[in-house]
Amino acid sequence: MDSLILLGILVAILVIIFFLMKMYRHYRLQHYDVPARDITKGHKFFMVDEFPEQTYCNVDHVKIKHGACCDSCGICVDDHNMKIANKKIPCKPVSVSSSKLEHHWVQGNLPLYSKCASCGEDCGTMPHICDRKCAWCQQTIHEGCSPKSDFCDLGPNKTAIIPPTCIKLKSVGIKVRKHLVIEEASTPDIKNWSPLIVIGNRKSGNNDGDYILRSFKTLLNPTQVFWLGTFTR
């Protein structure tokens, strides 16, 4: 009889533990913050030992062989110009309050064989920093040409991008630990919209994780790209 009572108590304890663990897991899932960059603090630069192609500094417009590049908007600068760039050149925003998204133009350093979205001619071919590219839709255009619209449709990757017009941020934490997280994300009016979420390990594979994550940040909204250590509770 005593053994049955003990067995019943043990089973009850195990059931309680199971439900407590289940409730705790549910609580954790509900309380993960998705971090967002505060672009008012500047760009997210990574260092480049040697640029693989002809590159010009977005601050003083001289040719550079090495320096720093922003992993979100793609500006390139000489090492000593990073602070100046943070103050004078805005990075592409992860969230905007407007209902329409404007192009985020970045001057120079266009991909090879770029074509002007306005006139259809080659652009970015001069031996100095010239022409521009939108950091959202990736379209390129001559400095002397006018875009077909001042508003950006996010280009060919729009079905995979969470528009900054659909993201609302909030500030959490106190004092030096204060940071931005996503408070709300709404659904845009984009047909067949299926946003891509990229989660990677910076040291995965042949340590190419960082390069892959940076590549996605230039194509998507940076809030869609995470490395495994960015989530906080």
Side-chain angles (χ1 to χ4, degrees):
M1 188 68 177
D2 291 342
S3 60
L4 290 176
I5 293 175
L6 289 173
L7 181 61
I9 293 174
L10 179 61
V11 171
I13 292 173
L14 290 174
V15 170
I16 292 172
I17 292 174
F18 172 78
F19 279 104
L20 286 175
M21 290 179 66
K22 190 173 182 180
M23 291 173 62
Y24 178 64
R25 182 174 181 274
H26 178 73
Y27 170 82
R28 289 182 63 190
L29 289 174
Q30 294 294 319
H31 289 78
Y32 272 103
D33 288 329
V34 179
R37 271 189 56 218
D38 185 354
I39 65 166
T40 62
K41 295 181 179 179
H43 298 269
K44 183 67 173 179
F45 285 116
F46 64 93
M47 305 308 297
V48 180
D49 293 332
E50 184 177 355
F51 288 107
E53 53 198 37
Q54 188 164 276
T55 303
Y56 296 91
C57 176
N58 280 97
V59 173
D60 53 23
H61 298 174
V62 299
K63 186 177 179 180
I64 53 177
K65 293 183 177 181
H66 56 81
C69 184
C70 176
D71 67 4
S72 296
C73 68
I75 69 164
C76 299
V77 297
D78 204 348
D79 298 356
H80 64 273
N81 282 331
M82 287 189 287
K83 289 185 178 180
I84 299 175
N86 284 336
K87 293 179 180 179
K88 294 188 175 182
I89 305 176
C91 193
K92 73 177 184 181
V94 299
S95 172
V96 295
S97 56
S98 173
S99 60
K100 289 187 176 181
L101 178 65
E102 295 184 352
H103 289 289
H104 186 92
W105 297 112
V106 176
Q107 185 184 23
N109 300 317
L110 274 56
L112 294 174
Y113 312 113
S114 294
K115 298 287 184 180
C116 178
S118 180
C119 69
E121 298 294 326
D122 293 343
C123 58
T125 57
M126 302 299 290
H128 56 78
I129 191 167
C130 64
D131 303 331
R132 49 191 177 149
K133 180 183 77 170
C134 176
W136 286 113
C137 65
Q138 310 302 316
Q139 72 169 264
T140 53
I141 192 169
H142 290 121
E143 289 175 321
C145 291
S146 298
K148 295 178 180 179
S149 172
D150 291 331
F151 298 108
C152 181
D153 65 357
L154 298 176
N157 299 318
K158 62 184 176 182
T159 57
I161 299 174
I162 301 177
T165 53
C166 295
I167 292 180
K168 185 178 180 182
L169 304 178
K170 68 176 180 179
S171 180
V172 297
I174 56 175
K175 295 183 179 179
V176 294
R177 300 194 67 180
K178 209 165 188 177
H179 60 281
L180 294 177
V181 297
I182 296 178
E183 180 180 17
E184 181 183 341
S186 56
T187 302
D189 185 19
I190 298 176
K191 187 178 180 180
N192 298 322
W193 184 65
S194 180
L196 177 65
I197 304 299
V198 181
I199 302 175
N201 184 345
R202 286 178 171 173
K203 296 182 179 180
S204 62
N206 191 28
N207 288 326
D208 290 331
D210 242 349
Y211 171 77
I212 293 171
L213 292 175
R214 290 197 301 263
S215 298
F216 276 111
K217 281 186 178 182
T218 62
L219 297 173
L220 306 174
N221 190 319
T223 57
Q224 296 174 241
V225 183
F226 312 94
W227 69 281
L228 293 177
T230 56
F231 291 100
T232 58
R233 280 183 290 169

